[in-house]
Amino acid sequence: MRTTIKELLGSYKKNLHHDITVQGWVRAFRSNRFIALNDGSTINNLQIVVDFENFGEDLIKNISTASSLKIVGEVVESQGSGQNIEIIAKKIQILGDNFTEERDKTILQPKKHSLEILREQAHLRFRTNLFGAIFRVRSAISFAIHQFFHHNQFAYMNTPIITGADAEGAGEMFGITAFDLNEIPRDENGDIDFEQDFFGKKTNLTVSGQLNVEAAMMGLGRVYTFGPTFRAENSNTTRHLAEFWMVEPEVAFNNLEDNIDLAEDFLKYVIGYVLENCKDDLVFLDQRFADEQKQKPEKDRASEGLIEKLENVIKKRFKRVSYTEAIDILKNSKENRKGKFQFPIEEWGADLQSEHERYLVEKHFESPVVLFDYPKEIKAFYMKLNDDGKTVAAMDVLFPGIGEIIGGSQREEKLAVLKEKMKAMNVDEHELWWYLDTRKFGSVPHSGFGLGLERLVLFVTGMTNIRDVIPFPRTPKNAEF
Ligand code: 4AD
Ligand code: MG
């Protein structure tokens, strides 16, 4: 029976003096005697003790860092420090060729490698302690997200990836077509004739599943979608991806305050789950984070350790501040008066940039902040118009080191108001006829939000570049692997 290293280390007593089979990759081979084996199930390695007299010299010679091995051996209590058990190897089989002569072109050459270099190595990146930890945590976060919604009686809806709609009305879409690009049919006006295309209309990759999940909410009450979304915004930053994963709950009868409560409970649940269930990986990431802080000038260092930060976030209530209050704070801030912001805040109505969000969260409140009631002009067409006629019932959750992690709102449930807003914002009513229909036959007040999965993974792992928390990043000029 093959076991994972995680299983074995987790319940080693019951395996003592039994023979077991493990398979994994060599992390290190010391003194022709000790193999540190890792199979990806945990950050911890299993020590294999090789008595070289029992094995051919050829075999021993061919074992090196990165070799893949199958090992049968006896579980014994370890003589050395650092582990409870080790395996006395009885059989060793090398499973794959190890191209040692090409090693110098890879991250296997024994020295420290930058994250940029690691990003260039599709599969070896996953073999490192750091990326093993990041992607186990990412997986646990996804699981906790489903669990949270499952516990709260939400139905998981799969929304389409191919759509005709621009859900955010921001025009940042990747078009898709089945046309031969060398022979694109045109109509009498010389425009591309999408009627002849695969779907008989213009289509694109989805920027958000929200409009579809709103339709489902109108029957199922509490729903969420969790899938890939695509944005052709040309932002080459450490916070933006062209392909990212978004979680979008939508709840019938929830107002804006209910929506903020849901977002706060949700984030705390997921972070709490990781603290509880990913201890070994978090300890490693916490140490890496601390080491990284030491490299920085004192004034730029984080005031808390990674685990400490996560524990504090789930303890404190998030600060809730209206956009109008936030503008006052920003306008009167020393930063603004001294011209330190790249985008100075002059008046009510200004769109907030990430420098402003981070000022509020990291300097002013020193806490996660929920901003609400934004000017209608800077938010999407579907948001509910407030009684003041100037603001919409929008909310953004801002996190330290990240900025916006969640964006959401109460939705405009009144057909006439929604139509008016769409007209004012140049959103095509024809394409969205089915969405407008959701405001007929029993429209209800409702709310929802979107969480960018990668931004949460950034926060939880203490990484700084979003490219390092998604297995295969897609960014401007980069779609390798
Ligand atoms: O604020 P956004 O654009 O909101 C929506 O798409 C709504 N339809 C959500 C809803 O109400 N159902 O995006 C939501 C979140 C952001 O707060 C951010 O965390 C993430 O998605 N996000 C990105 N993450 C990575 N790369 C990008 N280019 C992102 N754009 C948005
Ligand atoms: Mg947003």
Side-chain angles (χ1 to χ4, degrees):
M1 259 285 275
R2 189 172 94 220
T3 91
T4 66
I5 292 174
K6 183 176 174 163
E7 259 168 16
L8 200 57
L9 297 177
S11 58
Y12 71 94
K13 287 214 172 97
K14 95 169 187 241
N15 291 304
L16 268 183
H17 308 301
H18 289 283
D19 281 358
I20 52 90
T21 303
V22 283
Q23 299 187 328
W25 296 274
V26 175
R27 282 295 172 80
F29 188 23
R30 280 190 296 125
S31 325
N32 273 358
R33 186 166 168 79
F34 300 107
I35 296 173
L37 195 76
N38 190 284
D39 67 358
S41 61
T42 158
I43 196 156
N44 300 309
N45 298 330
L46 181 66
Q47 173 146 294
I48 313 290
V49 182
V50 183
D51 202 342
F52 56 82
E53 278 140 31
N54 298 341
F55 298 95
E57 201 179 308
D58 266 3
L59 181 100
I60 301 285
K61 215 176 61 206
N62 281 317
I63 298 175
S64 60
T65 303
S67 298
S68 47
L69 304 181
K70 175 176 178 179
I71 290 181
V72 180
E74 185 186 341
V75 181
V76 299
E77 263 170 286
S78 178
Q79 308 297 307
S81 62
Q83 64 270 325
N84 292 320
I85 52 161
E86 56 196 24
I87 308 297
I88 306 293
K90 293 186 173 169
K91 269 193 236 159
I92 300 178
Q93 187 189 342
I94 297 179
L95 298 172
D97 291 327
N98 196 350
F99 289 70
T100 38
E101 67 285 355
E102 289 183 27
R103 184 167 290 248
D104 286 353
K105 287 184 250 159
T106 74
I107 57 170
L108 292 171
Q109 46 171 321
K111 62 170 204 190
K112 202 160 165 48
H113 301 280
S114 70
L115 295 169
E116 286 78 10
I117 297 290
L118 285 160
R119 259 176 240 146
E120 290 168 5
Q121 314 227 334
H123 80 291
L124 290 176
R125 186 167 84 133
F126 296 110
R127 200 81 69 76
T128 62
N129 277 337
L130 177 59
F131 286 90
I134 292 169
F135 291 120
R136 276 186 299 271
V137 167
R138 181 185 165 110
S139 171
I141 287 176
S142 297
F143 178 77
I145 287 168
H146 285 295
Q147 194 165 64
F148 173 85
F149 288 121
H150 182 71
H151 285 335
N152 288 287
Q153 298 119 56
F154 282 68
Y156 175 37
M157 305 304 299
N158 301 110
T159 48
I161 289 174
I162 300 172
T163 165
D166 179 0
E168 290 302 296
E172 292 168 335
M173 298 170 299
F174 290 103
I176 58 168
T177 177
F179 281 149
D180 173 349
L181 294 185
N182 294 311
E183 279 172 57
I184 297 175
R186 304 207 169 247
D187 62 18
E188 56 273 25
N189 302 323
D191 296 331
I192 296 173
D193 187 4
F194 284 104
E195 275 182 29
Q196 295 186 49
D197 203 351
F198 190 93
F199 295 108
K201 61 188 261 185
K202 200 166 174 231
T203 49
N204 54 274
L205 296 177
T206 187
V207 295
S208 157
Q210 180 193 321
L211 304 189
N212 300 86
V213 95
E214 275 187 65
M217 172 281 303
M218 286 290 183
L220 286 129
R222 293 184 196 180
V223 294
Y224 71 106
T225 178
F226 184 3
T229 49
F230 307 86
R231 300 217 178 157
E233 54 186 329
N234 206 352
S235 326
N236 222 333
T237 78
T238 56
R239 302 280 176 272
H240 289 88
L241 290 163
E243 176 177 309
F244 65 99
W245 284 66
M246 188 152 51
V247 185
E248 296 179 276
E250 195 68 37
V251 186
F253 319 113
N254 263 10
N255 63 20
L256 186 67
E257 202 183 340
D258 302 327
N259 200 36
I260 298 174
D261 289 343
L262 179 69
E264 183 165 347
D265 290 349
F266 166 67
L267 285 168
K268 287 178 171 174
Y269 178 89
V270 174
I271 294 169
Y273 180 92
V274 176
L275 280 167
E276 197 58 35
N277 293 280
C278 304
K279 292 206 175 92
D280 291 348
D281 288 324
L282 278 187
V283 166
F284 175 85
L285 291 165
D286 187 74
Q287 187 58 51
R288 191 206 80 92
F289 184 78
D291 293 343
E292 192 184 62
Q293 299 304 310
K294 280 188 216 138
Q295 313 290 316
K296 293 184 176 176
E298 198 143 359
K299 67 169 184 26
D300 296 338
R301 287 184 200 162
S303 56
E304 312 163 299
L306 177 65
I307 294 178
E308 194 185 1
K309 171 187 87 174
L310 299 178
E311 285 170 347
N312 284 336
V313 162
I314 60 176
K315 267 187 233 147
K316 276 194 285 187
R317 194 175 140 85
F318 298 175
K319 273 264 172 300
R320 300 181 184 201
V321 185
S322 75
Y323 167 89
T324 304
E325 282 172 80
I327 283 290
D328 279 344
I329 293 167
L330 289 166
K331 214 159 76 182
N332 298 320
S333 66
K334 205 161 77 197
E335 269 72 3
N336 198 49
R337 283 183 280 124
K338 290 200 170 157
K340 293 258 170 70
F341 286 140
Q342 197 191 337
F343 299 91
I345 295 284
E346 268 143 27
E347 58 194 45
W348 193 94
D351 202 354
L352 299 183
Q353 306 296 326
S354 94
E355 57 177 345
H356 308 127
E357 296 174 343
R358 294 186 63 170
Y359 172 82
L360 291 169
V361 173
E362 290 159 30
K363 297 247 167 70
H364 191 83
F365 290 108
E366 296 187 72
S367 153
V369 173
V370 187
L371 290 186
F372 59 89
D373 287 350
Y374 283 74
K376 64 178 182 201
E377 288 78 12
I378 60 172
K379 288 290 180 186
F381 68 92
Y382 50 72
M383 297 189 180
K384 183 171 178 63
L385 190 62
N386 286 326
D387 291 344
D388 60 14
K390 279 184 3 188
T391 61
V392 285
M395 62 98 165
D396 277 2
V397 181
L398 314 178
F399 259 27
I402 306 289
E404 179 188 336
I405 196 161
I406 279 182
S409 70
Q410 183 169 345
R411 320 304 189 186
E412 183 52 70
E413 85 275 17
K414 296 197 193 78
L415 182 63
V417 184
L418 181 60
K419 273 189 168 171
E420 228 168 85
K421 287 193 74 199
M422 284 169 76
K423 205 168 185 185
M425 299 180 98
N426 278 324
V427 177
D428 185 3
E429 255 190 52
H430 293 291
E431 179 55 48
L432 290 180
W433 65 270
W434 59 274
Y435 180 68
L436 286 167
D437 270 7
T438 62
R439 271 57 171 174
K440 301 174 186 169
F441 324 113
S443 180
V444 290
H446 63 284
S447 301
F449 61 80
L451 164 80
L453 176 69
E454 288 75 17
R455 296 209 182 156
L456 180 57
V457 183
L458 267 183
F459 182 74
V460 172
T461 57
M463 299 300 289
T464 44
N465 193 318
I466 201 161
R467 293 164 181 78
D468 294 325
V469 298
I470 184 163
F472 299 98
R474 280 7 181 179
T475 50
K477 301 279 177 288
N478 171 43
E480 200 63 42
F481 319 133

